[in-house]
């Protein structure tokens, strides 16, 4: 399973990218709004940091508008992936983007049939939002299990991005189930590194080393 970072904050992207583990970025309108900066400028900065798929979401709700927006965003770089909502209009847009060889990420996927439809329309990626399902008392990880199974049985190439990740266990479980990618917020990336025995182990090694120098 590969790691994308789920943020529009360039400092966060730069920091985690330096660890050498990030192969892509996902943004959404809420994440972009949180930064309060120009969208295109932000995308250009992200493109300079990460040489991999960068998802940029369209705002239009009709396919014509989605295609116009998507074409403009895609003209920034071959690495831009057009993020499209899981709607009838979104599917129509995905089909056209696919014919034009523009990569897409179908977002706001909450059941396996939506993922299958997105794949059949030609989506490059689907993003099941497991944390938001957990938030309302459903089993988000079961959705990842269902989609990975269906895509394997039918030999579907569309990649599965485990999205709406809330904590490290989501990452481990999505990896065990065979999600291709997890898109992870900055805070969770930090948590992934931590273990109390790692911290105390380093302290002990350093203390013993210091002791030997006396
Ligand atoms: C995915 O591409 C979305 O940007 C993201 O994972 C949504 O997560 P949230 O439920 O924390 O907003």
């Amino acid at each position: 399973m590969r790691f994308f970072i789920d943020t529009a904050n360039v400092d966060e992207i730069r920091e985690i990218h330096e660890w050498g583990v990030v192969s892509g970025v996902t943004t959404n309108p809420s994440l972009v709004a949180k930064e309060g900066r120009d969208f295109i400028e932000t995308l250009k900065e992200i493109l300079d940091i990460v040489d991999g798929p960068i998802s940029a979401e369209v705002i239009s709700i009709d396919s014509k508008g989605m295609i116009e927006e998507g074409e403009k965003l895609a003209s920034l770089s071959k690495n831009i992936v057009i993020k499209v909502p899981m709607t009838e209009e979104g599917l129509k847009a995905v089909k056209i983007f696919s014919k034009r060889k523009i990569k897409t990420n179908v977002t706001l996927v909450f059941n396996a049939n939506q993922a299958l439809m997105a794949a059949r329309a030609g989506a490059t990626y689907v993003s099941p939002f497991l944390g938001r399902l957990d938030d309302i008392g459903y089993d988000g990880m079961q959705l990842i299990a269902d989609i990975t199974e269906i895509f394997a049985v039918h030999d579907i190439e569309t990649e599965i991005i485990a999205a709406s990740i809330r904590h490290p266990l989501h990452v481990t479980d999505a990896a065990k189930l065979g999600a291709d990618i997890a898109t992870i917020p900055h805070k969770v990336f930090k948590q992934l590194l931590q273990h109390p025995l790692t911290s105390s182990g380093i302290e002990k090694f350093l203390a013993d080393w210091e002791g030997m120098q006396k």
Side-chain angles (χ1 to χ4, degrees):
M1 186 175 76
R2 312 193 303 281
F3 294 140
F4 288 1
I5 183 164
D6 194 29
T7 181
N9 182 298
V10 288
D11 293 331
E12 290 182 354
I13 294 169
R14 198 171 284 115
E15 180 190 350
I16 307 298
H17 184 254
E18 282 177 2
W19 296 0
V21 298
V22 169
S23 54
V25 180
T26 52
T27 65
N28 66 40
S30 304
L31 292 171
V32 173
K34 196 170 133 197
E35 299 308 314
R37 300 182 56 214
D38 179 77
F39 185 31
I40 301 297
E41 288 310 308
T42 305
L43 285 176
K44 285 181 179 166
E45 281 188 43
I46 296 173
L47 286 161
D48 281 343
I49 301 168
V50 179
D51 184 15
I54 315 294
S55 285
E57 190 158 342
V58 295
I59 304 301
S60 300
I61 52 170
D62 63 300
S63 59
K64 189 169 170 286
M66 289 177 189
I67 291 158
E68 277 170 19
E69 270 184 71
E71 294 269 8
K72 275 189 205 141
L73 292 168
S75 72
L76 289 175
S77 161
K78 64 171 178 36
N79 280 343
I80 292 287
V81 175
I82 306 305
K83 212 170 176 191
V84 174
M86 178 60 225
T87 60
E88 288 180 30
E89 292 298 306
L91 288 182
K92 286 192 230 169
V94 166
K95 183 87 212 162
I96 288 166
F97 285 134
S98 163
K99 280 188 184 149
R100 295 181 187 172
K101 308 278 179 236
I102 292 174
K103 293 192 177 80
T104 51
N105 173 359
V106 174
T107 188
L108 294 166
V109 166
F110 292 99
N111 70 45
N113 289 330
Q114 291 179 325
L116 186 52
M117 299 271 278
R120 289 310 184 204
T124 318
Y125 305 97
V126 289
S127 289
F129 276 33
L130 65 105
R132 290 195 196 184
L133 280 172
D134 288 359
D135 291 346
I136 59 161
Y138 286 78
D139 183 356
M141 205 51 71
Q142 184 57 49
L143 175 59
I144 303 293
D146 290 344
I147 300 173
T148 52
E149 182 182 346
I150 291 167
F151 282 18
V153 166
H154 296 283
D155 218 5
I156 290 172
E157 284 181 10
T158 301
E159 292 200 291
I160 301 162
I161 305 179
S164 187
I165 296 275
R166 298 271 187 268
H167 49 71
L169 197 54
H170 274 160
V171 177
T172 309
D173 288 343
K176 282 161 72 179
L177 288 168
D180 299 285
I181 296 146
T183 190
I184 304 173
H186 177 266
K187 187 186 118 198
V188 179
F189 262 114
K190 292 282 203 175
Q191 292 172 330
L192 293 183
L193 278 184
Q194 290 161 15
H195 194 285
L197 291 178
T198 305
S199 310
S200 62
I202 291 169
E203 274 174 35
K204 177 84 170 68
F205 283 152
L206 291 178
D208 290 347
W209 187 261
E210 288 296 314
M212 186 190 74
Q213 310 302 310
K214 285 173 190 160

